Amino acid sequence: PGPGMAVRVVDTDGNDAALGEVGEIVCRSPESMTGYWHDSHLTAQTIRNGWVHSGDLWSLDAEGFLTLAGRLKDVVITGGENVYAAEVEAHLLADRTVREVAVIGVPHPHWGEAVVAVIVPEESGADIAEPLDAHARAGLAPAKRPKRYQMKSELPRNSMGKVIKD
């Protein structure tokens, strides 16, 4: 943080998260935003008790270093477990057969949501679901492993080039 800025990693109740625990990063300073133009509802969601809630998920270690875990909106909750899409995506991207990946949550009748990986394979048209599932089983906890793999030729993107996950 810069001079005069305070930063915390907080849990869903707004309490400081334990060291190493993933939580939302919040900040405040004399230069922090004061609100959204003509949107008091969004302002109230974002600024609480003087703290600006970023929507970014981080963990803080004992030495004061922050590690990015993903976005608050980019979490799949399956069977009561929080699965951070960025963690699963990074693991799947380590497989050389994957060009791009987007991890999403889809409704599931028993678990609430199921983890699904939308994959753009390096080799166009290749179905790499089985070997990729073996790769996931070797390095991800059961709740984090995709329950389904969808092969696509490209990921949908908005005008800024960001992957659309909705």
Side-chain angles (χ1 to χ4, degrees), residues 81-153:
E81 296 284 329
N82 289 348
V83 177
Y84 301 101
E87 178 186 0
V88 178
E89 289 167 353
H91 182 77
L92 296 175
L93 278 170
D95 188 294
R96 294 187 307 202
T97 63
V98 176
R99 177 179 302 144
E100 290 185 289
V101 61
V103 170
I104 59 173
V106 298
H108 188 278
H110 180 72
W111 300 110
E113 289 184 297
V115 178
V116 172
V118 182
I119 305 290
V120 177
E122 277 294 344
E123 185 181 319
S124 182
D127 184 355
I128 58 172
E130 277 190 46
L132 197 53
D133 192 51
H135 174 72
R137 287 180 182 279
L140 293 172
K144 296 177 182 181
R145 293 193 301 252
K147 304 306 179 250
R148 190 169 75 231
Y149 298 86
Q150 295 178 344
M151 301 301 141
K152 299 283 186 182
S153 59

